[in-house]
Every structure is written in structure tokens, then in C-alpha cells.
Amino acid sequence: MNHDGSSLKEQVQSGFTEAVKSNQSATLPPSKKNLNVSLLNTTTQFEQVATIVVEQLAHLLCAEVCIINQHAYVIASSNPKLVKLHFNHIYKNNSLNYLRLPLSFNTQIGEVIVSKPHNGEVISPRLVQEVVELVINQTTVIDTLLNQHQLKDKFIYDLLHGLIDEETTIARYSKLLGIDLNPPRAVILINAADYILTNNISYQHQQENIETQIQQRANLVIRSIVSFFQLPNDTICAYLGDGEVAVLKASDTKNLGNWATRGDVPEQCSSSWANLTALKRAAKALLMRLQNDTGTSINISIGRYHPGIRGLAQSYQDARAALSLGSRFRGCNQVHCLDGLGIAAFIGIGDERTKIELATYLLSPLDHEPELLATLDTFFTEDCCPSSTAHQLYIHRNTLSYRLDKINLLTGFNPRRFDDAVQMRLALLLRELSNPR
């Protein structure tokens, strides 16, 4: 027992648990990963295990500890100055004052070297050996947790990019990774590249240190998202690489209750625009949170809800297009969505079906207003001239003005403004193209 009443093994267990917690949320860009690839190569794993063993033993035994590899070079030490030195150079005149124990991990072998404790206590070789084995056995926990996050990010990356098209495969992987895809979900895409990819590491450091910094910053963004939405864990969040994080946000009224109001568009699970207003409010509040947490520029885009598991890929394409167009034409620190991009949405999106769906959505408030639709069509045909429009419709100009005001009130678009008029004209044409004759 130690002076605080705990055993040596218990202290090691506690210290190792903290090591696991500090590493369990690490991620790598999925574009650099494979579902069956180990996160760390054997040599790197061996060095990490050696570092943990050294730190734990040196603290608990009050002794200098180092670990040498099969070539007798120090790979980890409580005295950093000894790292990379040869064992014979360090201990050639001190053969009676240290304990040597074998160390093996996967295909790597070495030795643990423990010097005489500073406090004069006698060290039990058997107890030290058991502690070393405990640390080695439990190091697989870190690798398992890291690989689980790696698999989760890769799965979401493939799912959003349409690289997995079999629903049975999607269902199997989502179940294994603890991702619930049953609620209707829409994609929220966060571009935090200014924070995640900013390099504050000096050029002397190796590339792996830069990758570690990227992982840590991506994890911070994800933790902020998890905290903001009060999620039980980060299973629906993934770092996609290039400074972007995706969230598969449940988009039904129940899960957007904090941001939904009675005046919003009613929830329709078959509608790709269901609860979009509440989703925008949530995204705007999330934007403020992330700006505060990172201190940098953030851009967020929202994809529509699309039915089915594979609809997430369509939602991602919506978000991807909104982020690209919105960032270019509307700047940073905003929430972008297709319906708020104006003319840019119609000229910047290549998918005709998406354009038609957008046009239908924008004009949907006029679905039961045939008189207003006819007025709008005539207004554009007459080059937006009030007098000729009123003449063609056999109505007074005041009546025309009333109708245009009502169109503005219902749709949010003012036919008298150039940009709004162009957008509504394009929407009318696209909707006309979608109607079979």
C-alpha cells in the first residue's frame, strides 16, 4: 500500500484511465483512412506504451525509469535527456543499481530499466512486472476507442458522399457504431477551417504534430456541438477533413422543440422543407456558440431533410452547395441554406431536380392563390410595368398594388425589386417546366 492507502496497481489503473479519456476522442480526416487500417503503426504504439509505462512507474516508485528497444537505445525515459542514447553508454558503470525487466508489445521487444528509488525503498521485481503487463494489456483500450472514432468518421463520410448505397450495409454499420438513423435527419455542415487548420506549430516539429493539433481542434468543435445540442455523445458528428464537421441532426419537431414556434411551416415528414425554419434558428444559435468557443470565423450550411437513410447524401449535397455558394456570395459568419441564396441558388446548382424543388418551395405560399399567380405572371410578361399589367388584367392600379403587396407578404419576395423579381420569374419558369402538359 502507498501512503494514500491505494495499491500500486490501483494508482496505475487510475492514471491509465485518465490517459484513455484524453485520447478517446481523437479523429483523423476520413479521406486518409481505411475501415481496416490501424490508427497507429506498431512502432508508434510501442513508443506510446513505453511512454505510459515510464510515466506511471517513475511517479509511483520515486525512481528513474527508462525503456530501451531491441537495439538497446532508449525510446522513453523519465529523464528526457537520455532518450535516443544507447543503454551501455548510460549504465556501463552502474550495473548494481538498476532493475531490468523484459518488455514486449505486438512484434516489438525491449526492456524496462528501473534505477534504485530515491527514497531508499526496496522494489519488488514481480510487482513491477505485473504493473508493466497491466499497462500493456490496457493500452488496447486506447487503440480500440481511437479506431471506433475512426470507423465512425469514415462511415459518415462514405454515407454522405454516397459511397455506401446498400441500406442493409448502412443499417448494419450504424447499429455497430451506435448511430440511430431512425429519426428524420438533415445535415448541418460546419466549416471551421480557420480554426481547425490554422498551424501554430513551428516548422521544426514533425508533420504528425500538426495532424495531432488538427485532431484536437476538430474534437473541440465537435464537443461544442455535442454540448450545444445536449447530445448523449458525438456519434452523429464527424470530422470530414479540410476543416469541415458534419452533424446528422434530427430534424423532427420533437428534436427541434427549443427552436420551433407555432408560426413555422407545419411538420410534414414527406416534405424536404419540413422544420427548416426551426433548423435555421438552431444553426444561428450554434454559429454564435462556435464563434465564441473558437474565436474565429465560422460558416454553417443546412441541408434539407430527404426521406430514407440514403436521403442523408442528398441532404449533404444541399448543404455542400449552400456552403459553397453562400461563402462565395454572402461571406463568412453566416448560416447558409438554398432557399436564402437568391438568384445564386438557381444559377449555381447543377441538379435540375433540386432547382425545381426549390422553385416549388419558394412559390408554395401561392399554391392556393391562383389569382395572385396569374397576376405575378402577367406582371413579368409586361416587363414589371404596373399600368400595362393593370390594363391586361382589367383591374385598377390600386388593386394591382394590393395584390403585389400580398405576394410580398406571403412569400417574402417583393416583385418590384429586381433581385426578387428575377428569382420569382425563374421559380415560375422552373415550376412550369415540372408540370406535365
Side-chain angles (χ1 to χ4, degrees), residues 146-157:
L146 291 175
N147 275 302
Q148 184 176 3
H149 279 77
Q150 179 188 24
L151 289 169
K152 183 257 296 181
D153 282 2
K154 183 65 169 65
F155 168 70
I156 292 179
Y157 179 92

Side-chain angles (χ1 to χ4, degrees), residues 56-290:
Q56 295 296 321
L57 289 182
H59 172 69
L60 296 170
L61 301 178
C62 297
E64 185 174 288
V65 180
C66 71
I67 293 179
I68 60 176
N69 60 18
Q70 58 184 334
H71 303 295
Y73 283 95
V74 178
I75 60 172
S77 175
S78 56
N79 182 357
K81 295 180 180 180
L82 303 183
V83 176
K84 297 184 179 181
L85 297 181
H86 197 276
F87 169 77
N88 292 333
H89 174 73
I90 303 170
Y91 292 100
K92 59 183 179 181
N93 297 320
N94 202 20
S95 59
L96 299 179
N97 291 325
Y98 60 82
L99 176 67
R100 300 182 64 166
L101 296 167
L103 175 66
S104 64
F105 182 77
N106 291 337
T107 60
Q108 303 291 313
I109 60 174
E111 286 185 282
V112 179
I113 312 297
V114 182
S115 298
K116 185 177 180 180
H118 306 310
N119 57 14
E121 292 184 357
V122 177
I123 299 175
S124 167
R126 181 178 176 181
L127 180 58
V128 174
Q129 185 66 53
E130 288 184 2
V131 171
V132 171
E133 290 176 357
L134 176 64
V135 173
I136 293 173
N137 290 336
Q138 291 192 337
T139 197
T140 57
V141 175
I142 291 181
D143 194 43
T144 299
L145 289 169
L146 291 175
N147 275 302
Q148 184 176 3
H149 279 77
Q150 179 188 24
L151 289 169
K152 183 257 296 181
D153 282 2
K154 183 65 169 65
F155 168 70
I156 292 179
Y157 179 92
D158 287 350
L159 179 62
L160 297 184
H161 287 82
L163 301 178
I164 310 176
D165 56 6
E166 294 184 5
E167 292 201 7
T168 54
T169 301
I170 294 173
R172 184 172 68 253
Y173 272 108
S174 62
K175 183 177 181 179
L176 288 172
L177 296 169
I179 301 175
D180 183 8
L181 295 181
N182 289 319
R185 294 187 181 275
V187 174
I188 298 178
L189 188 60
I190 297 104
N191 184 342
D194 286 351
Y195 174 72
I196 295 175
L197 301 182
T198 298
N199 180 14
N200 291 332
I201 299 177
S202 61
Y203 69 92
Q204 294 97 335
H205 287 69
Q206 298 179 349
Q207 182 65 28
E208 63 186 44
N209 291 328
I210 297 177
E211 292 295 336
T212 299
Q213 176 182 270
I214 291 174
Q215 294 166 27
Q216 292 172 344
R217 293 188 173 193
N219 291 336
L220 185 144
V221 172
I222 290 175
R223 286 196 298 272
S224 293
I225 295 168
V226 170
S227 174
F228 175 80
F229 285 119
Q230 298 181 349
L231 303 174
N233 50 55
D234 64 357
T235 53
I236 63 168
C237 305
Y239 178 53
L240 304 181
D242 298 325
E244 293 183 352
V245 173
V247 184
L248 312 184
K249 181 69 183 76
S251 58
D252 53 358
T253 301
K254 176 183 177 181
N255 287 282
L256 289 172
N258 291 336
W259 302 278
T261 64
R262 185 174 299 179
D264 295 341
V265 178
E267 178 185 5
Q268 301 173 4
C269 291
S270 61
S271 171
S272 61
W273 305 94
N275 285 324
L276 192 62
T277 303
L279 203 57
K280 286 180 182 178
R281 292 195 191 102
K284 289 178 180 178
L286 175 61
L287 175 64
M288 295 179 63
R289 170 67 176 269
L290 292 176

Side-chain angles (χ1 to χ4, degrees), residues 171-418:
R172 184 172 68 253
Y173 272 108
S174 62
K175 183 177 181 179
L176 288 172
L177 296 169
I179 301 175
D180 183 8
L181 295 181
N182 289 319
R185 294 187 181 275
V187 174
I188 298 178
L189 188 60
I190 297 104
N191 184 342
D194 286 351
Y195 174 72
I196 295 175
L197 301 182
T198 298
N199 180 14
N200 291 332
I201 299 177
S202 61
Y203 69 92
Q204 294 97 335
H205 287 69
Q206 298 179 349
Q207 182 65 28
E208 63 186 44
N209 291 328
I210 297 177
E211 292 295 336
T212 299
Q213 176 182 270
I214 291 174
Q215 294 166 27
Q216 292 172 344
R217 293 188 173 193
N219 291 336
L220 185 144
V221 172
I222 290 175
R223 286 196 298 272
S224 293
I225 295 168
V226 170
S227 174
F228 175 80
F229 285 119
Q230 298 181 349
L231 303 174
N233 50 55
D234 64 357
T235 53
I236 63 168
C237 305
Y239 178 53
L240 304 181
D242 298 325
E244 293 183 352
V245 173
V247 184
L248 312 184
K249 181 69 183 76
S251 58
D252 53 358
T253 301
K254 176 183 177 181
N255 287 282
L256 289 172
N258 291 336
W259 302 278
T261 64
R262 185 174 299 179
D264 295 341
V265 178
E267 178 185 5
Q268 301 173 4
C269 291
S270 61
S271 171
S272 61
W273 305 94
N275 285 324
L276 192 62
T277 303
L279 203 57
K280 286 180 182 178
R281 292 195 191 102
K284 289 178 180 178
L286 175 61
L287 175 64
M288 295 179 63
R289 170 67 176 269
L290 292 176
Q291 287 175 320
N292 182 66
D293 288 349
T294 66
T296 59
S297 296
I298 299 287
N299 260 336
I300 294 180
S301 64
I302 302 171
R304 298 170 293 158
Y305 160 71
H306 292 271
I309 293 178
R310 284 180 290 186
L312 284 168
Q314 295 175 276
S315 182
Y316 173 73
Q317 291 304 318
D318 285 349
R320 178 76 262 167
L323 182 63
S324 176
L325 293 170
S327 299
R328 182 171 182 178
F329 293 108
R330 300 196 173 230
C332 297
N333 294 315
Q334 294 193 46
V335 173
H336 307 289
C337 189
L338 291 180
D339 68 317
L341 295 177
I343 304 171
F346 290 110
I347 65 174
I349 298 174
D351 181 55
E352 184 175 346
R353 178 182 174 184
T354 301
K355 290 181 180 180
I356 292 173
E357 290 175 347
L358 175 60
T360 302
Y361 172 69
L362 294 177
L363 295 176
S364 60
L366 305 180
D367 284 345
H368 303 294
E369 301 283 351
E371 187 177 67
L372 295 182
L373 282 171
T375 300
L376 191 61
D377 188 55
T378 304
F379 184 65
F380 292 143
T381 301
E382 297 299 317
D383 293 329
C384 301
C385 177
S387 58
S388 59
T389 301
H391 177 75
Q392 288 294 328
L393 293 173
Y394 302 103
I395 59 175
H396 193 275
R397 284 190 59 173
N398 289 344
T399 303
L400 173 63
S401 180
Y402 167 78
R403 291 183 184 179
L404 294 179
D405 288 341
K406 189 174 181 180
I407 290 172
N408 186 16
L409 179 66
L410 292 174
T411 66
F413 297 105
N414 187 349
R416 302 179 184 88
R417 293 184 66 252
F418 177 77

Side-chain angles (χ1 to χ4, degrees), residues 1-2 4-13 60 127 131:
M1 301 292 286
N2 289 280
D4 61 355
S6 61
S7 69
L8 181 60
K9 281 190 176 182
E10 288 173 342
Q11 290 198 44
V12 170
Q13 177 72 48
L60 296 170
L127 180 58
V131 171

